Amino acid sequence: AWRLDRAFDYAVSGALAARIAPGTLVRAPLGARVVRGVVVALFEESPERQLESLRALVVDEPLVPPPLDRLYRWLARRYCTPLGAALKRSVPPRVRVGRPPIESRPRGGPEPRRLLAYERGEDLHRALREGGGGTFVVQSLWGEQRGELIAELVAAAAERPGAALVAVPEVRYGSEVLDALGRHWPGCARVDSARPDMERAVAWLRLARGHGLGAGGRTTVLAPAPDLALIVVDEEHHSTYKEDRAPAFDARRVAIERARLQGAPCVLISPTPSLDLEGFPGVRRIAPSRGQRRAARPLVEVVTADPDRAVGHELHERTTAALARGERVAFLAPRRGYARAVWCSACRVSLPC
């Protein structure tokens, strides 16, 4: 019944009335079936006709608490989808789970060393600590560890009540940002698709009950956090933030609207911010200083190639030294023919990763 675009009236019995609130997930008769639905409004008046009664409450905590109900209505209007299809995104994959422990706000975390080094970084740090909404675009430095930078944002926002939500692009092959958040706060509620359905459902319900930190993919911007202290979209330019199923929403635009409704800062981070962000009113930009950009520029050197070896002697020596220091080395090899590996022409041994 999620494809419907209208609401239905039901009667609520006395025992169930005390537990139901706007945004709760209930079971209700619809024709010959009993379906799940979200309560969108409550009225304390006698109906003019005989109404069917709600059967049961599925989840104790509201999954669409105000003002998230306004966000879902906005989502349905903006992306031309039935309201039921929009509200379906609020339901976790499993609903029969226990009551896991919650932590109201993250404890500890790194000092804002990276953030305060940026130009106008103090303005964002002040907004996180003292409260107040607004959209901030952070142009991260080339090679910056964004996981640690986002951890600084979460730690600063933890001084106020409310949850911090962090959305990252495609996480199928891992995410450095999620790994960094997990190192600082092992209790982070992960709602990304790389987790099993049961684990995601438990994390979703933890956020509905007031857990202080949630992270995952694009659906994180719809997580049922009743109080919001911060919402972060990492690599906001990434194409995976656009949902291809109804409602086909843009997670970046939803994050901005949700932060406006809940009066929280929305931080969009990218080394190459999108050009269309200039059209959003009140966007404040945070960028590295000229000295930081100059110091982060890569050094490019041209070395003499060895015609008898795939990797020349000088490049081989530098690679060996870098690996000995624990650093990383990347080879960009032109794909010619069908050979996609570097191998020795003398002994035919391939160069492994």
Side-chain angles (χ1 to χ4, degrees):
W2 293 113
R3 297 181 181 180
L4 298 175
D5 196 28
R6 55 158 296 187
F8 295 86
D9 296 333
Y10 291 91
V12 184
S13 63
L16 201 58
R19 302 173 57 194
I20 287 183
T24 52
L25 185 66
V26 296
R27 293 180 63 84
L30 185 66
R33 297 184 297 160
V34 176
V35 299
R36 291 173 182 167
V38 175
V39 177
V40 295
L42 290 175
F43 302 94
E44 296 183 0
E45 57 188 29
S46 300
E48 298 178 355
R49 62 188 186 277
Q50 186 70 24
L51 297 179
E52 293 275 5
S53 297
L54 293 180
R55 297 295 178 83
L57 181 66
V58 180
V59 179
D60 291 336
E61 287 74 15
L63 299 180
V64 191
L68 288 188
D69 55 339
R70 294 160 56 191
L71 177 68
Y72 280 93
R73 293 181 185 275
W74 171 88
L75 189 72
R77 292 194 308 270
R78 179 177 178 86
Y79 297 102
C80 301
T81 188
L83 180 60
L87 291 172
K88 182 182 179 181
R89 305 308 297 265
S90 67
V91 182
R94 303 283 183 89
V95 293
R96 294 184 179 181
V97 299
R99 297 186 63 87
I102 64 171
E103 186 177 353
S104 59
R105 63 181 65 183
R107 302 181 183 276
E111 295 294 327
R113 178 177 57 85
R114 291 177 172 83
L115 176 61
L116 295 181
Y118 283 56
E119 290 184 349
R120 296 181 296 276
E122 300 87 352
D123 298 340
L124 175 54
H125 186 253
R126 187 181 309 109
L128 294 174
R129 295 184 59 187
E130 299 177 1
T135 302
F136 297 84
V137 177
V138 179
Q139 182 178 359
S140 60
L141 196 64
W142 307 307
E144 179 75 270
Q145 292 183 342
R146 289 194 309 277
E148 295 300 322
L149 177 62
I150 293 176
E152 293 180 3
L153 300 178
V154 173
E159 299 185 13
R160 298 189 299 110
L165 301 178
V166 180
V168 300
E170 179 61 51
V171 297
R172 186 178 306 172
Y173 304 107
S175 170
E176 187 272 335
V177 172
L178 296 183
D179 293 341
L181 294 177
R183 287 194 302 268
H184 290 289
W185 300 285
C188 175
R190 293 278 298 271
V191 294
D192 53 272
S193 58
R195 300 288 176 166
D197 287 351
M198 180 59 73
E199 184 176 344
R200 283 192 293 134
V202 170
W204 196 265
L205 296 180
R206 288 172 68 193
L207 292 171
R209 291 163 185 157
H211 191 70
L213 178 59
R218 56 180 173 262
T219 56
T220 309
V221 299
L222 297 174
D227 297 316
L228 189 65
L230 168 67
I231 186 167
V232 180
V233 180
D234 180 44
E235 289 192 271
E236 56 83 18
H237 63 274
H238 209 281
S239 60
T240 57
Y241 282 121
K242 294 184 178 180
E243 177 64 71
D244 55 358
R245 297 172 298 176
F249 62 89
D250 182 354
R252 180 190 60 173
R253 186 65 183 87
V254 175
I256 295 175
E257 179 65 17
R258 176 172 184 175
R260 185 189 69 82
L261 290 174
Q262 294 190 270
C266 177
V267 181
L268 309 175
I269 300 179
S270 173
T272 55
S274 303
L275 294 177
D276 61 346
L277 291 176
E278 298 291 345
F280 290 95
V283 172
R284 286 172 279 183
R285 287 188 172 271
I286 313 295
S289 64
R290 183 176 181 182
Q292 286 179 297
R293 294 195 300 269
R294 180 177 299 176
R297 286 186 301 184
L299 299 178
V300 180
E301 299 181 43
V302 180
V303 298
T304 303
D306 190 343
D308 298 329
R309 304 176 59 182
V311 178
H313 176 73
E314 183 176 358
L315 190 57
H316 180 271
E317 294 294 330
R318 294 196 181 191
T319 301
T320 304
L323 295 177
R325 294 192 299 266
E327 299 174 350
R328 292 181 294 180
V329 178
F331 282 96
L332 304 181
R335 297 191 343 189
R336 297 177 180 176
Y338 297 97
R340 300 186 180 183
V342 178
W343 51 275
C344 177
S345 59
C347 63
R348 299 295 191 271
V349 175
S350 63
L351 179 64
C353 179

